[in-house]
Amino acid sequence: MKRYSRHIALSEVGLLGQLKISESKVLVIGAGGLGAPLLLYLTAAGIGTIGIVDFDTISLSNLQRQVLFREQDLNLNKADIAKARLRARNSEINITSYPVALSTSNALEILKTYDIVVDCTDNFRARYLINDACVKLNKPFVFAAIYKFEGQLSVFNYAGGPTYRCLFPLPPKAGEVPNCEEAGVLGVLPGILGAYQANEVLKIILNIGEVLSGKLVSINLLTNQQKSFQFKKNKPLIKQVIQEELSYIELNDCKITHEKKH
Amino acid sequence: MDVTLTYYGKLVEVVGKSQELIDVQAITLRELVLWLENEYPDLKKLSLKIAQNNAIGELEDKITSKNIDIFPPFSGG
């Protein structure tokens, strides 16, 4: 516990808070731009069990922002390498890597043993799948998404709060929203948003501060402006998601990344 | 009436600016969207949310603020 003395010194955390952190199980889906800083901070904080889902392999252009990886990691699986890099930083916690794509056939199985899910993916197909699986399993999930110099942040399905579909019921059409490869991204942007996600995870576990439920925060790094927009729950839609089978959305934004090379 | 519109994400590229002051005869958000789609036809193809007074509104809502934010979903990560 000496390791976490700076947490324990905070009256809002204390020994009990650090114990809660060590008992929590967090699943991170996506070990890329957002996942890297998030995973580093969750590991440093001592989250007891961390799961990492990512089918992708590390490519050169990833190194501009995916700060968990090194040059010698190129072409290796992101989840497996993330696990290795994180273990070197904290050997006391349990880390499991799932070097697979999240799908309708494995999502419920993988998510069910975790307390909190973090969406660090880069496409709408995955995001809607995560939403629907979390709604079905009644898990909160911490969301962030980025575009060039801007980010969006929220916590969905937390303590009866609204979900991603309450905000955006339907996915956009294919090609409507470019991904980072097409649009470009300032490397530090996911660095900041991923850290914000780690902050929300810790607030949920420790039950301190105001968890960003029912609010979408919009961040602009060029202007340093931050705005918060409230939104409501769509109860009939939530009910529909619970009742229907987990399915892939028909239309997706970027080309499915495991079908293309970076 | 005069309204300041603030755009986010890809909308900035579609509209060509991040903010503008417009004079529009719109009572509801729906009428504002119709005006926008007429001014910027490319917006018709995009999903977007409209917020006023720091809350996301429904299209039936009356315009009650001189500052309106319009944003698309982001997906990058």
Side-chain angles (χ1 to χ4, degrees):
Chain A
M1 281 299 168
K2 226 183 186 171
R3 178 183 200 132
Y4 306 110
S5 61
R6 300 302 186 274
H7 266 175
I8 295 166
L10 292 166
S11 59
E12 294 87 346
V13 180
L15 189 58
L16 275 177
Q18 191 57 45
L19 285 172
K20 281 187 200 168
I21 292 172
S22 68
E23 284 162 8
S24 47
K25 303 183 176 84
V26 180
L27 181 70
V28 177
I29 306 172
L34 290 169
L38 167 77
L39 285 164
L40 285 165
Y41 280 103
L42 293 187
T43 297
I47 299 283
T49 304
I50 296 177
I52 310 169
V53 181
D54 205 317
F55 65 85
D56 203 4
T57 53
I58 300 157
S59 59
L60 186 61
S61 65
N62 291 160
L63 299 184
Q64 169 249 15
R65 64 199 178 282
Q66 298 180 15
V67 291
L68 201 44
F69 307 130
R70 309 188 298 203
E71 285 173 356
Q72 51 262 66
D73 298 330
L74 291 186
N75 303 312
L76 300 174
N77 173 267
K78 288 186 180 181
D80 289 339
I81 294 298
K83 176 179 169 175
R85 297 285 158 262
L86 296 169
R87 283 199 78 75
R89 286 170 164 83
N90 193 340
S91 53
E92 299 171 358
I93 63 176
N94 299 312
I95 306 175
T96 304
S97 60
Y98 303 88
V100 297
L102 199 72
S103 71
T104 52
S105 52
N106 64 23
L108 296 175
E109 190 61 34
I110 293 175
L111 269 62
K112 72 180 186 202
T113 59
Y114 292 90
D115 305 320
I116 300 168
V117 175
V118 191
D119 178 358
C120 297
T121 62
D122 66 357
N123 66 88
F124 286 114
R125 209 183 201 203
R127 293 182 180 283
Y128 279 90
L129 181 61
I130 291 167
N131 177 80
D132 296 352
C134 285
V135 168
K136 281 175 169 299
L137 294 170
N138 198 25
K139 312 270 179 198
F141 70 104
V142 181
F143 163 92
I146 57 177
Y147 180 77
K148 296 175 65 171
F149 301 96
E150 296 178 57
Q152 293 177 341
L153 177 73
S154 188
V155 177
F156 295 116
N157 210 42
Y158 170 74
T163 72
Y164 184 64
R165 281 196 195 262
C166 299
L167 179 59
F168 293 110
L170 293 174
K173 298 176 227 13
E176 194 182 304
V177 179
N179 65 9
C180 293
E181 182 180 338
E182 295 154 351
V185 64
L186 192 68
V188 67
L189 174 69
I192 292 170
L193 270 292
Y196 264 122
Q197 287 179 292
N199 183 45
E200 291 304 310
V201 169
L202 291 169
K203 279 155 57 180
I204 292 170
I205 293 168
L206 296 167
N207 197 26
I208 57 175
E210 285 177 32
V211 172
L212 267 178
S213 171
K215 289 188 189 148
L216 182 78
V217 167
S218 180
I219 295 166
N220 185 321
L221 290 189
L222 291 181
T223 60
N224 287 96
Q225 274 233 339
Q226 218 168 288
K227 263 190 186 173
S228 179
F229 305 115
Q230 284 183 298
F231 60 98
K232 296 194 202 102
K233 209 165 155 176
N234 184 334
K235 288 186 194 165
L237 192 51
I238 291 174
K239 208 173 175 184
Q240 193 183 336
V241 168
I242 292 172
Q243 285 169 348
E244 287 178 2
E245 284 279 314
L246 205 59
S247 62
Y248 279 128
I249 57 174
E250 286 307 312
L251 302 162
N252 51 291
D253 55 337
C254 59
K255 308 163 218 41
I256 301 166
T257 44
H258 64 262
E259 286 172 14
K260 72 172 165 72
K261 296 268 175 262
H262 289 274
Chain B
M1 59 190 274
D2 284 346
V3 177
T4 300
L5 302 178
T6 304
Y7 303 103
Y8 297 79
K10 191 182 173 183
L11 300 187
V12 176
E13 289 146 51
V14 171
V15 168
K17 43 193 107 92
S18 59
Q19 203 173 65
E20 62 176 338
L21 179 65
I22 61 163
D23 182 11
V24 64
Q25 301 302 318
I27 310 287
T28 63
L29 293 182
R30 189 185 299 277
E31 287 164 12
L32 177 65
V33 172
L34 287 171
W35 180 89
L36 277 168
E37 288 175 349
N38 193 47
E39 272 300 291
Y40 310 106
D42 284 342
L43 284 183
K44 274 190 220 154
K45 304 183 221 160
L46 303 177
S47 325
L48 37 93
K49 284 284 148 183
I50 307 198
Q52 53 177 350
N53 304 312
N54 296 315
I56 291 168
E58 306 296 328
L59 292 175
E60 311 81 64
D61 292 349
K62 292 205 169 69
I63 296 175
T64 56
S65 171
K66 292 208 165 286
N67 290 291
I68 294 184
D69 299 278
I70 305 174
F71 57 91
F74 293 175
S75 71

